[in-house]
Amino acid sequence: MITLISNASPIVPMEVIKAALPIGIGLASAAFLTMKIASSSSYGQDKTVPLVSLRPGDSTHDNEYSDDQDAFIKRCEEECGPTFNILLLGKKLTVVSGPQIREVFMNEDFNALDALDELTSMKTFFDSVKKSNFGTDNSTIHHVVRDNISPNLPMFTPRIVEQLVKNLEKELGRCPAEEGGKLVEKPIKVMQEMVASAMAHVFVGPEISQSRKVIDAFINATADFGKMLGDGKLRRASAWKSFVDRTSYRVLNPLQVHVRTLVEASTPVILERRRQEAEAAEKGVEYERPNDVLQKLLDNFDKYGFVDLDDVCGHLLILILASVHTTSDSATILLFYMAKFPQYMDKLYEEQQEVLDAIQQEREQMREELRKKGESIDEELDPAHDRDLSAAAIKKMVHMDSFVREMFRFRTERLTLVHRARKNVTLSNGVVIPKGESAVINMRYAHQGEDQGEDATEFRPWRFVGKPKAATKVGADFLPFGMGKHACPGRFLAIQEIKTVGVLMVSRYSKVEMQDPSQAMKALRSRIGQPTPTGLIFTSRE
C-alpha cells in the first residue's frame, strides 16, 4: 500500500512500499535513486575505501553492473571485501554491507532525502502544492499516516475490500476457461483503477469518491509523479536540468491542477458536513463524524499547521499519489509472481477457504449461544457477513503474507537505498564517508545473504511461514520500507491492500498466465514504474 518520509530512512527501491513517504514514495523513490545517481562531474579521490577495478575497455562500472548485477557484486566482494567504492551512473558510490547497513539507516548524519532531492527535485515538486510544512524531513506527513491511517486500518479494510471487489468485477470480471480466459495487455491499468478507487474512499470518503473527476485526478497525479521519476527509465541528472525542473515545478506543476479538482469536489461536501454538525449540536445529539482521512485532517487543522483547504488537499494528494503509485505497481508485480509460480495458487486458495470456514464456524457458535439465551442476533453477526474479508481474516492468511514478503525480498535491485552524508561519517569498520558523498546499500547481502537461508537466491513463497517475519516487519534483512524509527508508517496500509488484491485474485481466478513467458524474469525484476514487458491472461474459477 507506501514514503511519507522521514529523515534518515528512505524506503525500498524496487519493491514496494517506502519509508520515504509513508505510503509508497519510499519504494518508488529508492528505486529511482538507484537509477539516477548522477550529480557530480568527477568521482573524487577518497583513499579510505578501495575502488573496484574496471573491466578492460570500461571507464565506469555501469555496463558490468547492468550485464549481471549478482556477478558484478560478487566480483567486487571478492576483490575488495564487504565495503568498496564503485563508479556508477556518473558518481562514486560507497557500497555498504553487513552490520554497516544498520548504521547507515540509524545514523542521523546520513540522509536519503537529501540525495533524492538533489537528483529529482522532488521537494520542489511537492512543496509547490503545499502552503505549510516545508521542512526537509516530511515529519507532518509521517505523523498524519501514523496518527490517522494505521490505527484505523481495521475500520478501513471493509471499505477497501468493497471497492477492490467492485472495480475488479468492472475491470476484469469473468474470464471463462472455454473462451481461453481473458488477456489484459496492461494489468497496471486495472490495478491503478482498483487501488485509486479504494484509496479515495479511505482518504476523502464515499461522497467525494463518487466523482469520476476525482478518481481520474488521483490516477493522473500518479502518472505525473511517475514522469517526474522518469517512468522507470535510466536518466542522468545535471545541474542545468535540476534548475529547469525546480523552476518549472514552481510555476507549472501538473499536480496543481489535481489539487484544484480535489478542492472543488470537497468544498460542498465539507460545507454539508459542517451543516449537519451544527444541526446535531442544536438538537443536543452527538454528531457522527465521517471516518476518512480528510475529516481527520480538518479536525486537526491547527495541530498539523495547515493554512487553508488548498493546503489540506495538497497534503492529501501527496499521500494518495504515493499510495496509488507504489501499491498498484506492487500489486501488479504480485500477479506476475503468481503467473510465474502457478504451483502455489492452490495452497493460497485452500488457506483462504480454511480461514473463512473457521471464522464462519466461530460466528455460528456465537449465534447459537445467543439463541440459547433467547437474545436477538444483531447485524454484526448476520450470516451474510460470515465470509467477509476482514482485517482479522486477512491477517490469518499467513501463506499469502509470506508470499508477499518473499516477493518483495526477491524483487530487489542489488544496489539501492542511497544515503548522502551531511558531514564526515566514520562507520564501525573504520570506513569514512566524506560529507557530500553517498553510501548505497548492498541489497544482495541484505536480501540474498546467508541470513535468508541456503536457498536465498531462489523464490520460496513459504519461507516466512511460522516465523516472526510478517510482510510489515522491517529489519536489516528486509528493507523495502526502511528500518528503525524512520521505517515507513504507511507500510501497514500498503501491505494490507496488496494482500487483499492477492486474496481476491486467488478466490476468483484459478490461473494467471503470462502472455509471453520468455519475459518472466524481466517482469519479476522490473523497476518501480517500469512498464511490464508482457500482458497477463486470467482464467476464472468454475
Side-chain angles (χ1 to χ4, degrees):
M1 151 161 188
I2 54 200
T3 56
L4 287 171
I5 338 184
S6 33
N7 248 347
S9 90
I11 311 292
V12 272
M14 242 42 95
E15 291 55 65
V16 148
I17 248 127
K18 121 106 200 65
L21 260 174
I23 306 211
I25 289 181
L27 229 88
S29 326
F32 180 67
L33 273 178
T34 301
M35 304 182 293
K36 289 180 74 170
I37 357 181
S39 59
S40 63
S41 57
S42 62
Y43 290 117
Q45 302 296 323
D46 179 18
K47 302 299 184 181
T48 63
V49 183
L51 177 66
V52 175
S53 64
L54 295 168
R55 286 190 313 189
D58 286 347
S59 58
T60 71
H61 295 109
D62 294 80
N63 290 336
E64 186 178 1
Y65 176 71
S66 297
D67 290 345
D68 189 328
Q69 295 181 19
D70 288 316
F72 169 67
I73 295 176
K74 182 179 180 181
R75 180 178 79 81
C76 294
E77 292 170 336
E78 291 174 347
E79 179 180 320
C80 301
T83 306
F84 48 88
N85 282 334
I86 59 173
L87 309 180
L88 191 67
L89 298 175
K91 190 176 181 67
K92 184 190 72 172
L93 296 174
T94 299
V95 178
V96 175
S97 309
Q100 285 68 50
I101 290 177
R102 180 180 294 274
E103 294 177 34
V104 170
F105 277 99
M106 299 304 185
N107 193 323
E108 298 294 332
D109 292 329
F110 280 115
N111 193 285
L113 300 182
D114 287 354
L116 184 59
D117 186 56
E118 179 184 17
L119 298 170
T120 68
S121 302
M122 183 183 285
K123 184 177 184 299
T124 305
F125 186 73
F126 287 139
D127 281 354
S128 68
V129 296
K130 300 188 299 180
K131 296 183 179 180
S132 63
N133 302 306
F134 296 117
T136 59
D137 64 354
N138 280 313
S139 61
T140 298
I141 291 196
H142 183 104
H143 292 152
V144 167
V145 173
R146 183 198 63 190
D147 298 344
N148 304 297
I149 297 179
S150 299
N152 293 301
L153 198 53
M155 288 185 287
F156 289 149
T157 297
R159 203 180 306 175
I160 291 173
V161 172
E162 179 182 2
Q163 292 306 310
L164 290 177
V165 169
K166 176 182 176 182
N167 284 278
L168 179 59
E169 292 298 327
K170 182 180 72 173
E171 298 296 323
L172 197 52
R174 190 165 180 274
C175 310
E178 57 270 22
E179 297 178 11
K182 180 183 293 185
L183 170 64
V184 178
E185 294 186 353
K186 295 183 178 180
I188 183 65
K189 299 296 184 183
V190 175
M191 290 298 106
Q192 286 177 340
E193 189 72 29
M194 292 172 61
V195 173
S197 179
M199 290 299 93
H201 277 71
V202 168
F203 284 99
V204 298
E207 313 103 301
I208 299 173
S209 298
Q210 292 176 6
S211 168
R212 184 64 228 181
K213 282 187 176 181
V214 169
I215 301 299
D216 286 341
F218 293 167
I219 294 175
N220 292 333
T222 297
D224 293 331
F225 173 61
K227 289 177 184 176
M228 185 270 291
L229 293 179
D231 286 331
K233 299 176 182 176
L234 296 175
R235 211 171 66 177
R236 288 182 176 273
S238 68
W240 170 247
K241 186 178 186 311
S242 178
F243 169 77
V244 171
D245 285 345
R246 288 189 169 97
T247 302
S248 174
Y249 294 153
R250 291 188 183 102
V251 191
L252 300 172
N253 191 336
L255 295 186
Q256 293 168 351
V257 175
H258 308 314
V259 170
R260 178 49 45 192
T261 297
L262 187 53
V263 170
E264 292 175 354
S266 61
T267 297
V269 173
I270 292 171
L271 292 175
E272 175 59 19
R273 290 181 180 183
R274 289 178 176 173
R275 185 195 68 75
Q276 293 176 4
E277 184 175 11
E279 182 179 298
E282 289 179 5
K283 294 179 179 179
V285 298
E286 184 178 356
Y287 173 63
E288 186 176 347
R289 313 196 76 74
N291 187 21
D292 53 59
V293 178
L294 171 61
Q295 185 63 49
K296 295 181 185 301
L297 296 190
L298 294 173
D299 291 343
N300 294 279
F301 191 90
D302 293 334
K303 172 184 176 180
Y304 295 123
F306 297 133
V307 173
D308 53 22
L309 182 59
D310 289 55
D311 191 25
V312 172
C313 289
H315 283 78
L316 267 178
L317 188 69
I318 293 172
L319 287 166
I320 292 165
L321 71 82
S323 173
V324 174
H325 185 269
T326 53
T327 304
S328 57
D329 177 272
S330 298
T332 301
I333 297 304
L334 176 64
L335 301 182
F336 278 90
Y337 274 78
M338 290 180 171
K340 171 61 177 175
F341 304 101
Q343 65 269 34
Y344 303 118
M345 290 285 281
D346 287 344
K347 177 60 181 178
L348 293 172
Y349 181 72
E350 290 169 6
E351 174 183 64
Q352 180 181 146
Q353 298 309 304
E354 290 171 0
V355 168
L356 295 179
D357 286 346
I359 292 175
Q360 184 175 25
Q361 185 176 8
E362 291 172 7
R363 287 169 60 86
E364 178 55 36
Q365 290 174 351
M366 295 171 66
R367 287 191 291 267
E368 185 59 29
E369 290 297 321
L370 291 174
R371 294 189 192 101
K372 289 179 180 179
K373 296 177 182 178
E375 298 179 12
S376 60
I377 298 174
D378 58 22
E379 182 180 354
E380 185 177 343
L381 280 177
D382 187 333
H385 299 299
D386 281 358
R387 303 183 74 81
D388 286 355
L389 286 176
S390 64
I394 294 172
K395 185 177 181 179
K396 292 179 180 180
M397 298 176 189
V398 295
H399 286 80
M400 177 60 76
D401 187 90
S402 180
F403 194 103
V404 170
R405 182 180 171 103
E406 178 72 348
M407 175 197 73
F408 276 109
R409 185 196 72 85
F410 193 80
R411 184 198 184 193
T412 303
E413 180 85 5
R414 296 304 189 251
L415 297 176
T416 188
L417 300 173
V418 181
H419 291 64
R420 192 164 182 255
R422 288 182 164 180
K423 60 172 67 172
N424 292 347
V425 178
T426 302
L427 301 177
S428 62
N429 61 356
V431 167
V432 175
I433 311 295
K435 178 182 177 180
E437 297 198 4
S438 299
V440 61
I441 303 301
N442 182 351
M443 294 292 282
R444 179 175 180 269
Y445 176 94
H447 281 193
Q448 278 79 36
E450 296 178 356
D451 291 345
Q452 303 288 355
E454 295 180 358
D455 56 356
T457 59
E458 301 176 22
F459 181 79
R460 292 285 183 261
W462 318 144
R463 185 183 300 276
F464 305 106
V465 173
K467 300 178 182 178
K469 298 283 186 179
T472 55
K473 184 176 178 61
V474 299
D477 63 343
F478 189 67
L479 296 168
F481 302 100
M483 65 181 292
K485 68 178 183 179
H486 297 290
C488 169
R491 67 187 184 277
F492 300 99
L493 174 62
I495 291 296
Q496 184 79 343
E497 191 162 7
I498 293 167
K499 290 197 297 184
T500 302
V501 168
V503 170
L504 291 175
M505 287 296 177
V506 168
S507 69
R508 283 163 171 72
Y509 304 99
S510 61
K511 188 165 52 174
V512 182
E513 302 170 277
M514 292 190 203
Q515 180 184 15
D516 182 358
S518 69
Q519 298 295 313
M521 292 310 298
K522 186 176 180 181
L524 300 189
R525 292 279 174 80
S526 61
R527 294 183 173 95
I528 283 283
Q530 184 177 13
T532 49
T534 182
L536 292 173
I537 301 171
F538 297 86
T539 302
S540 294
R541 289 190 180 278
E542 295 299 329

